[in-house]
Amino acid sequence: TSIPILGNIMHSLSKSDLVVYENPKSNIAESFRALRTNLQYMLTGSLGKVISIHSTNPREGKSFTAINLSAILAINNKKVLLIGADLRKPRLHKVFNLSNENGLSTYLIGIDSIDQIILPTMIENLSFMPSGPIPPNPSEILSKPEMKVLLETLRSRFDYIIIDNAPTAMVTDGHLVSHLSDLNIFILRYGFSKMQQIDLI
């Protein structure tokens, strides 16, 4: 493929999603450091960088990658915000033991302000924005002008904004967010993903 390959992440044998934070000297943490280094060649500019993490299908490691990439950037003394933009099957809040009562969905419909939905995590420099309650129309909500306003506002407050999206082969949500991002990273899983997915990407 002519698509740039940013890195190879080792398979995790840990049951935890926060392997970089809990095992900073592990081989898998080192593979995320290599990914962090390669990102510098893909991104330029002084404002905060918006990076969307995608997968074509579920269970390819998209959320796992989003969590640990966010953590390794934060550990490197960068101010990072991880956004749960999968409004159909939100689960990131469980990893951080945080509430999902308010989040991206409640901001986009005008219930909450930005500051009300940005939560601190146990990792220094890493903040988290939950998905919020599941709406009946995720694609329509993500396509609202408020989504663009949100990201433009956050650029001045964070060095990196990492967005975890819904699988792109199943719904259009990720496509909508991809147009607002500086870099779109697709996750392919060895022994699981199909060759044909490269054509779709």
Side-chain angles (χ1 to χ4, degrees):
T1 176
S2 61
I3 302 171
I5 298 174
L6 284 177
N8 294 294
I9 304 301
M10 299 180 65
H11 178 69
S12 176
L13 299 176
S14 171
K15 292 183 179 180
S16 171
D17 282 312
L18 284 167
V19 292
V20 162
Y21 174 66
E22 295 176 359
N23 298 289
K25 295 183 179 180
S26 63
N27 288 333
I28 190 169
E30 198 57 40
S31 64
F32 273 103
R33 288 189 184 93
L35 174 59
R36 179 185 68 195
T37 299
N38 289 338
L39 282 177
Q40 298 173 4
Y41 294 99
M42 305 296 294
L43 295 165
T44 57
S46 57
L47 284 175
K49 288 86 172 173
V50 178
I51 303 172
S52 275
I53 309 295
H54 305 274
S55 66
T56 309
N57 296 305
R59 296 179 57 215
E60 289 184 295
K62 168 183 57 61
S63 297
F64 177 81
T65 302
I67 292 165
N68 285 283
L69 177 58
S70 300
I72 204 71
L73 288 167
I75 290 170
N76 197 40
N77 209 29
K78 299 297 183 182
K79 198 171 182 183
V80 183
L81 175 66
L82 173 61
I83 299 178
D86 187 344
L87 302 185
R88 298 172 188 269
K89 288 188 175 181
R91 77 170 191 87
L92 292 190
H93 61 282
K94 297 177 182 177
V95 175
F96 296 103
N97 293 316
L98 294 170
S99 169
N100 196 47
E101 291 183 12
N102 307 85
L104 180 60
S105 63
T106 54
Y107 165 79
L108 291 175
I109 61 173
I111 293 178
D112 290 313
S113 68
I114 293 177
D115 290 326
Q116 288 175 306
I117 58 172
I118 296 178
L119 308 176
T121 70
M122 74 284 281
I123 302 174
E124 188 178 0
N125 297 319
L126 177 58
S127 299
F128 174 58
M129 181 182 294
S131 303
I134 299 173
N137 53 345
S139 294
E140 287 76 9
I141 286 179
L142 288 169
S143 65
K144 290 168 70 72
E146 285 81 358
M147 186 65 185
K148 183 177 182 179
V149 172
L150 172 68
L151 294 178
E152 292 303 320
T153 303
L154 293 171
R155 282 179 185 274
S156 62
R157 298 172 59 174
F158 294 92
D159 297 311
Y160 290 95
I161 300 150
I162 311 295
I163 306 175
D164 180 51
N165 297 280
T168 56
M170 306 180 71
V171 291
T172 61
D173 304 11
H175 292 283
L176 296 168
V177 177
S178 70
H179 295 292
L180 304 174
S181 304
D182 300 316
L183 183 67
N184 292 286
I185 300 177
F186 278 82
I187 309 302
L188 293 168
R189 180 176 174 184
Y190 177 77
F192 185 88
S193 304
K194 306 296 183 184
M195 289 289 289
Q196 303 93 303
Q197 291 175 226
I198 294 178
D199 294 329
L200 181 60
I201 294 170

